[in-house]
Amino acid sequence: MTDLFPPDAVLEHLFTGTTWGEGPVWLPRSRRLRWSDIPANRILEYDEATGATSVFRAEAEYPNGRTLDRQGRVVQCSHGRRAVEREGDDGPHTLVDRWTEGRFNSPNDLVVARDGAIWFTDPPYGIHESGREGHPGEPEYGGCYVFRFDERSGEVTPVVTDMVHPNGLAFAPDESILYVADTGYLQVTGAPGGIRAYNVVDGARCDNGRDLVTVRPGATDGLRVDVEGRIWSSSADSVQVFTPAGDRLATIPVPEKIANLCFGGDDGRTLYITASTSLYRIRTTTTDAAF
Ligand code: MG
């Protein structure tokens, strides 16, 4: 192991029982890890104090990625509602589900910038005919974009339009770069697959998109960036950590295909990993740049 982990760090298995675990977020007030079981259409919570896992919500409209906004409230993607929504005391409220060209496909993952704007990806996994991860439906705008939603103005702007199936995303610590995973190659013959980097201009648009790293086996689905700017990526068999230049620093084997990961715990230095049927965690020496 590297100095990314304490000497005694081990991968801990916490729970098994999801169909496809995704969208983890750490809830500091309740000290719980909340995540999605997309095909089972439910939201789960792991209680760090007791080690128990419980169902936070069933019939949850196929939720996917989630994060906290600047006020610490949960914002999440809903395949079923084709929307980005915020959790309130009385349940989720849709923040945005369309732009000028039509409804979104099925928002997949999201981040909140320091100015409060929500940036999210919109691949089609939730509207497939199979209905495995949502309700079958038609794409309405002819692409799969990354959008920026400014809640104050209500403005929705496409910021990345040159990807096949944009998926996980995260900002560099100073928000000068946006990293976005493209999982398109898993479904579309000849499509690219890997993490792309974009310069963020004026906090509101992207340019100079370039391929940064191709993660195999499998692909990068969810990813996070730590305070040193390192990129923590999912893959089919491991968590893989990269420098901002795309050089691999570490590989942490995980016995199941990983969908997503997040930092959490009281000091923010525990990495939680949602991997197919199970939830895992491992202690690290760093934390999320967005904290
Ligand atoms: Mg995803």
Side-chain angles (χ1 to χ4, degrees), residues 22 64 108-109 167-168 221-222 260:
E22 248 283 11
N64 195 334
N108 186 290
D109 216 341
N167 203 313
D221 186 335
N260 215 328

Side-chain angles (χ1 to χ4, degrees), residues 30 36 77 82 122 152 176-177 185 197 210 279 282-283:
S30 60
S36 299
C77 297
R82 299 173 71 161
D122 190 34
R152 291 166 298 188
S176 65
I177 299 170
Y185 97 100
R210 64 271 187 194
L279 179 70
I282 188 169
R283 291 287 291 156

Side-chain angles (χ1 to χ4, degrees), residues 23-236:
V25 71
W26 175 253
L27 306 177
R29 289 171 198 149
S30 60
R31 301 178 64 218
R32 289 170 171 236
L33 190 287
R34 182 181 295 180
W35 81 110
S36 299
D37 184 359
I38 306 175
N41 196 13
R42 61 182 184 165
I43 300 171
L44 301 178
E45 285 191 351
Y46 169 81
D47 185 323
E48 190 182 63
T50 65
T53 292
S54 55
V55 176
F56 172 73
R57 181 178 297 132
E59 303 300 323
E61 281 302 333
Y62 302 96
N64 195 334
R66 58 176 56 74
T67 191
L68 300 182
D69 67 15
R70 307 314 294 182
Q71 288 77 45
R73 301 168 296 187
V74 173
V75 287
Q76 68 194 8
C77 297
S78 170
H79 284 186
R81 283 185 275 266
R82 299 173 71 161
V84 173
E85 58 192 25
R86 176 181 287 125
E87 288 283 359
D89 293 337
D90 55 349
H93 296 258
T94 294
L95 296 174
V96 63
D97 64 359
R98 65 191 64 232
W99 65 302
T100 53
E101 304 292 317
R103 296 175 74 195
F104 302 132
N105 300 314
S106 50
N108 186 290
D109 216 341
L110 74 177
V111 288
V112 177
R114 292 197 178 89
D115 67 359
I118 298 170
W119 298 53
F120 63 95
T121 56
D122 190 34
Y125 301 119
I127 56 173
H128 279 168
E129 274 181 29
S130 71
R132 182 175 185 268
E133 294 196 2
H135 305 298
E138 294 298 320
E140 295 195 6
Y141 65 87
C144 294
Y145 297 166
V146 182
F147 292 95
R148 175 182 184 271
F149 172 57
D150 184 333
E151 193 177 354
R152 291 166 298 188
S153 67
E155 192 176 8
V156 184
T157 313
V159 288
V160 174
T161 60
D162 64 351
M163 301 184 81
V164 178
H165 291 165
N167 203 313
L169 74 173
F171 287 110
D174 64 0
E175 298 189 348
S176 65
I177 299 170
L178 178 71
Y179 301 103
V180 189
D182 194 335
T183 43
Y185 97 100
L186 295 171
Q187 296 87 27
V188 180
T189 303
I195 301 173
R196 282 173 64 78
Y198 295 83
N199 293 352
V200 178
V201 181
D202 299 331
R205 56 193 176 88
C206 290
D207 72 7
N208 189 31
R210 64 271 187 194
D211 294 330
L212 184 72
V213 63
T214 300
V215 179
R216 298 289 185 273
T220 302
D221 186 335
L223 62 98
R224 305 282 168 168
V225 172
D226 70 26
V227 287
E228 305 294 332
R230 295 168 297 222
I231 301 157
W232 295 64
S233 169
S234 56
S235 81

